[in-house]
Amino acid sequence: MRIVIAGGHGQIALRLERLLHARGDEVAGIIRRPEQAGDLLAAGAEPVVCDLESASVADVARHLEGADAAVFAAGAGPGSGAARKDTVDRGAATLFADAAEAAGVRRFVVVSAMGADREPPEGTDPVFAAYLRAKGAADADVRARAGLNWTILRPGRLTDDPGTGQVTLADATGRGAVPRDDVAAVLAALLDEPGTIGRTLELIGGDVPVTDAVRNVASH
């Protein structure tokens, strides 16, 4: 498969690029800064410089032409304010979905966040609340598109612990942590599993091997 990843220099994206390259897929990562290209090349991905905050749908669609799947893994990241949560975590996700539809790329996987479907609890940090609202709005936009075979993945608290290869994946898992390594492994498996199309799934650490966890979800 040829897979294009938005947010190609993100911590989960770089892990996913390595996994996809290792299994023989062709992978491209969209990045904002040219100096990030070396890290993508080292991961086995083709770097594509394109700023999703200023690009047009046509600009992005050109980068998606010929792809079999698109993964939205971009985010404004730590240190950004509420305004950029909206322009990246919501706006860029919508743009990327528009571009996928324009390029005829139906398979569309989104890295979202646990809690994005609910109004943030009182007392939530305002920037984090803006992030959750932006993610929720982006997810709602993607779910409404008949032109995309979408899957939305909502990991719990992300850690840099080594992956275990074992997870809990379900419509609702409850709160928990999950290594970024395992998130990337689940994303790679989701891309291969059409039975997860139209599903919003939560992911935390667990005791079920990744391939079994994805297969189990697809069969229910």
Side-chain angles (χ1 to χ4, degrees):
M1 292 205 298
R2 175 171 171 81
I3 298 149
V4 179
I5 302 172
H9 194 257
Q11 295 185 69
I12 290 171
L14 286 167
R15 289 166 166 85
L16 177 58
E17 287 155 7
R18 285 191 285 269
L19 289 176
L20 295 174
H21 174 71
R23 75 182 195 184
D25 287 325
E26 186 183 330
V27 57
I30 295 177
I31 53 176
R32 199 158 47 94
R33 300 204 299 273
E35 60 268 25
Q36 297 171 333
D39 290 336
L40 271 74
L41 291 168
E46 169 198 341
V48 175
V49 179
C50 177
D51 186 348
L52 295 177
E53 286 180 273
S54 59
S56 69
V57 171
D59 290 337
V60 182
R62 278 195 291 274
H63 299 309
L64 282 161
E65 282 171 10
D68 299 291
V71 178
F72 186 80
S80 57
R84 288 201 67 228
K85 303 301 184 196
D86 186 66
T87 57
V88 179
D89 292 284
R90 184 201 56 77
T94 300
L95 174 75
F96 198 55
D98 285 341
E101 288 189 319
V105 181
R106 291 191 64 87
R107 189 70 175 111
F108 195 85
V109 177
V110 177
V111 183
S112 183
M114 203 173 279
D117 263 347
R118 303 181 292 277
E119 180 60 20
E122 199 172 325
T124 301
D125 171 76
V127 174
F128 189 64
Y131 166 75
L132 289 175
R133 290 189 189 105
K135 281 293 193 188
D139 292 353
D141 175 87
V142 168
R143 285 173 173 149
R145 293 172 185 260
L148 295 178
N149 294 332
W150 55 266
T151 303
I152 294 169
L153 183 66
R154 292 179 165 167
R157 185 174 55 81
L158 299 169
T159 75
D160 287 326
D161 297 337
T164 66
Q166 299 193 318
V167 297
T168 299
L169 181 69
D171 294 326
T173 61
R175 295 279 172 177
V178 61
R180 288 180 173 88
D181 287 348
D182 290 333
V183 178
V186 168
L187 289 168
L190 288 172
L191 286 165
D192 283 343
E193 182 44 82
T196 61
I197 289 168
R199 301 286 295 277
T200 301
L201 301 168
E202 294 186 349
L203 173 69
I204 57 174
D207 55 10
V208 180
V210 165
T211 49
D212 293 343
V214 171
R215 195 181 302 122
N216 292 346
V217 159
S219 64
H220 289 94

